[in-house]
Amino acid sequence: MQLKVLGSAAGIGWPARTTSFLIDDDTLLDCGSGVGELTVEELLRIRRVLLTHSHLDHCNALPLLADVHASHGGPGIVVYSQQETIDALKAHLFNGVLWPDYTVRPSAAQPWVRCIAMEVGDALPLAGGLATVLPAQHSIPAIGWLLEGRERALAFSGDSGPCTAFWQWIAQVPSLSDVICEVTYPNEQAQEAADYGHMAPAWLLPLRQELPPQVQLWASHLDSAARDSILTQLQADDPVALPIRPLEQGMVIEL
């Protein structure tokens, strides 16, 4: 299994692209503006989207992806997420006002977008492995995802504050090799992070001490205005010395 970073920023503004990862060539993990980097041919290969939550920076390309399938005769896509997220998509995104309701077009029986509800612990087989829903703590209902390849595993927190259940879960995964964790705000904005359900560097240290030393941590969703401060704080006073690196667009992680 291979994961390619299409976007990992908290906002837009060249070269920033919002959260989206391509798994092999047929699955997206979140569907932010980074999806716009794909060609029409690549978009038509997408069969499923593993969605963490309904905030626009994680799903804004979903209506346009559906439109590519509809206008080019593609097979359509299946969206996997919590029921609360699916309800939000249908009420506020695919509602016939902001965008055509591709969850019922061209017909309710065979729409361009099918949505399947999943809960924490549910697993979905992928061509190269397995995707499992993980717990998360955000300002709205949200989940994380665990991707298990043949030899390695990657955990993605999605947008989440310090969710103890997420870290305890992934610490028990024998093949865990990589963790993508959002760190949106610097320590000086810890109250803002708490208010919006995000992570600050000071909260990450005690959580990542639960992980084996060989695990690679990747920081995502950084506020561009405080990127340098966040990265400096992530490396400061770290007794376990687990390496933390920022994700970069175009990076590929092999699982």
Side-chain angles (χ1 to χ4, degrees), residues 11-188:
I12 62 172
W14 177 260
R17 298 287 185 269
T18 65
T19 307
S20 45
F21 307 97
L22 180 63
I23 304 170
D24 294 332
D25 63 353
D26 63 356
T27 302
L28 290 172
L29 177 54
D30 276 344
C31 199
S33 65
V35 174
E37 299 298 308
L38 299 176
T39 66
V40 169
E41 290 73 20
E42 289 172 321
L43 293 170
L44 289 172
R45 295 190 195 109
I46 303 300
R47 297 292 185 270
R48 66 187 66 83
V49 178
L50 313 179
L51 195 60
T52 58
H53 65 297
S54 60
H55 278 158
L56 277 179
D57 55 326
H58 293 256
C59 72
N60 62 70
L62 190 56
L64 296 173
L65 172 61
D67 195 65
V68 169
H69 279 253
S71 61
H72 290 78
I77 56 176
V78 183
V79 177
Y80 296 88
S81 195
Q82 284 181 306
Q83 186 62 55
E84 294 92 334
T85 299
I86 292 170
D87 292 343
L89 294 179
K90 291 183 175 181
H92 304 296
L93 202 57
F94 293 110
N95 58 9
V97 178
L98 288 182
W99 204 250
D101 188 354
Y102 284 125
T103 66
V104 296
R105 296 179 64 176
S107 71
Q110 291 184 309
W112 293 112
V113 177
R114 291 194 299 119
C115 298
I116 296 181
M118 301 185 75
E119 293 298 332
V120 171
D122 289 347
L124 171 70
L126 303 178
L130 192 69
T132 302
V133 180
L134 296 177
Q137 287 182 283
H138 194 36
S139 57
I140 62 171
I143 54 176
W145 287 92
L146 174 68
L147 304 176
E148 294 177 90
R150 292 180 177 87
E151 298 180 359
R152 295 154 56 93
L154 178 146
F156 175 49
S157 71
D159 279 11
S160 179
C163 179
T164 303
F166 170 88
W167 294 90
Q168 290 177 340
W169 188 306
I170 66 175
Q172 304 305 312
V173 177
S175 60
L176 186 70
S177 59
D178 298 85
V179 178
I180 298 175
C181 177
E182 73 111 289
V183 192
T184 304
Y185 293 106
N187 292 330
E188 294 80 7

